[in-house]
Amino acid sequence: TGQIDKLFYRDAYEYRQKLKDFTENRIRGVLNLDEMGNELLNLLCGAIGCRQAYLMLPREDTGDFDVRFSIGPTQPNLALSVKNDSPIIQWLQKTKTYLPKERLDIAPEFKSLWKEELESIAQLNIQMFMPVISRNNVIGLLALGEKQNKHRYSLEDINYSERIINNTAASIEKEYLQDQLRKREQELSLEVILSLHKML
């Protein structure tokens, strides 16, 4: 099927091969969250032909989901953030599947979304949110912008993306927790140094 896949996916074929290698082998040798997030998003965008994508992870202080990695043209004045008690998170946690923009626009459960949330989703042209689920919890969000050819995402694109995200969710969570731990250790050692200085 290699040749058929090559014809069918064209440019995306090589990205898909690299992504397969990354998720099955190389991901275990990744050094940190930044390396993992950037590589994953790059390859996934190439594989499904999307112009913009955002991988969102929870902030340590509030638990709100902020963009940690992004691909594509950025808009400096726009920050995409989803509150941890947002109907978007509640819906993704409940259904464990992707949330298309059309549903956001019409379903009554999203009427209570913050104006800022809705505005940034519209201005960044987010087409769908996908939950990153580890141990039955939403630990991150993948927000997909437009496709390069302005077409809609096919069901195959969506299934493929969900499969990749599900296969890498545990690794993302592990690196995210390591990252938090490192930050905390740095903060603690800084506090120790500062308090020693005061004592001297």
Side-chain angles (χ1 to χ4, degrees), residues 24-72:
E24 289 174 8
N25 309 308
R26 288 190 306 119
I27 200 163
R28 283 185 281 283
V30 164
L31 295 174
N32 55 40
L33 182 64
D34 288 343
E35 196 184 312
M36 177 186 287
N38 284 320
E39 178 116 9
L40 180 65
L41 211 50
N42 258 312
L43 293 175
L44 183 59
C45 268
I48 59 172
C50 77
R51 287 180 61 205
Q52 276 169 294
Y54 307 90
L55 184 55
M56 307 173 72
L57 296 171
R59 286 173 50 148
E60 200 182 353
D61 50 355
T62 60
D64 295 344
F65 290 80
D66 285 351
V67 173
R68 180 73 188 258
F69 304 100
S70 64
I71 292 285

Side-chain angles (χ1 to χ4, degrees), residues 138-155:
V138 174
I139 57 127
L141 303 178
L142 175 69
L144 295 178
E146 279 188 313
K147 276 190 75 133
Q148 280 159 351
N149 51 18
K150 297 279 205 286
H151 291 166
R152 294 169 67 86
Y153 286 99
S154 67
L155 198 54

Side-chain angles (χ1 to χ4, degrees), residues 82-105:
V82 177
K83 301 243 182 293
N84 67 353
D85 58 355
S86 162
I88 292 176
I89 302 295
Q90 290 165 3
W91 193 90
L92 292 171
Q93 182 69 55
K94 193 172 74 203
T95 63
K96 308 274 193 289
T97 185
Y98 74 102
L99 171 61
K101 184 183 182 307
E102 300 80 58
R103 175 142 200 154
L104 263 183
D105 294 338

Side-chain angles (χ1 to χ4, degrees), residues 12-193:
Y13 177 76
E14 283 185 17
Y15 279 105
R16 288 186 179 225
Q17 291 304 101
K18 285 180 184 162
L19 196 49
K20 186 177 190 305
D21 177 46
F22 179 69
T23 55
E24 289 174 8
N25 309 308
R26 288 190 306 119
I27 200 163
R28 283 185 281 283
V30 164
L31 295 174
N32 55 40
L33 182 64
D34 288 343
E35 196 184 312
M36 177 186 287
N38 284 320
E39 178 116 9
L40 180 65
L41 211 50
N42 258 312
L43 293 175
L44 183 59
C45 268
I48 59 172
C50 77
R51 287 180 61 205
Q52 276 169 294
Y54 307 90
L55 184 55
M56 307 173 72
L57 296 171
R59 286 173 50 148
E60 200 182 353
D61 50 355
T62 60
D64 295 344
F65 290 80
D66 285 351
V67 173
R68 180 73 188 258
F69 304 100
S70 64
I71 292 285
T74 52
Q75 305 196 17
N77 53 342
L78 276 180
L80 182 61
S81 183
V82 177
K83 301 243 182 293
N84 67 353
D85 58 355
S86 162
I88 292 176
I89 302 295
Q90 290 165 3
W91 193 90
L92 292 171
Q93 182 69 55
K94 193 172 74 203
T95 63
K96 308 274 193 289
T97 185
Y98 74 102
L99 171 61
K101 184 183 182 307
E102 300 80 58
R103 175 142 200 154
L104 263 183
D105 294 338
I106 56 168
E109 63 257 47
F110 301 114
K111 286 275 180 280
S112 63
L113 277 175
W114 293 92
K115 195 162 153 279
E116 307 90 88
E117 275 181 322
L118 281 173
E119 277 173 6
S120 53
I121 290 167
Q123 287 175 308
L124 291 168
N125 224 330
I126 302 296
Q127 301 298 302
M128 72 183 77
F129 286 100
M130 237 169 233
V132 182
I133 294 167
S134 177
R135 294 179 299 181
N136 221 22
N137 280 314
V138 174
I139 57 127
L141 303 178
L142 175 69
L144 295 178
E146 279 188 313
K147 276 190 75 133
Q148 280 159 351
N149 51 18
K150 297 279 205 286
H151 291 166
R152 294 169 67 86
Y153 286 99
S154 67
L155 198 54
E156 199 276 335
D157 288 333
I158 293 166
N159 291 339
Y160 177 80
S161 303
E162 285 196 310
R163 198 166 65 244
I164 293 295
I165 288 298
N166 290 337
N167 289 348
T168 51
S171 301
I172 292 171
E173 183 180 38
K174 184 174 145 237
E175 288 305 326
Y176 169 76
L177 293 172
Q178 295 274 20
D179 193 59
Q180 298 293 338
L181 204 63
R182 262 195 300 275
K183 277 185 192 151
R184 227 166 282 152
E185 280 169 0
Q186 282 168 350
E187 283 163 14
L188 276 175
S189 57
L190 200 66
E191 281 169 24
V192 169
I193 291 166

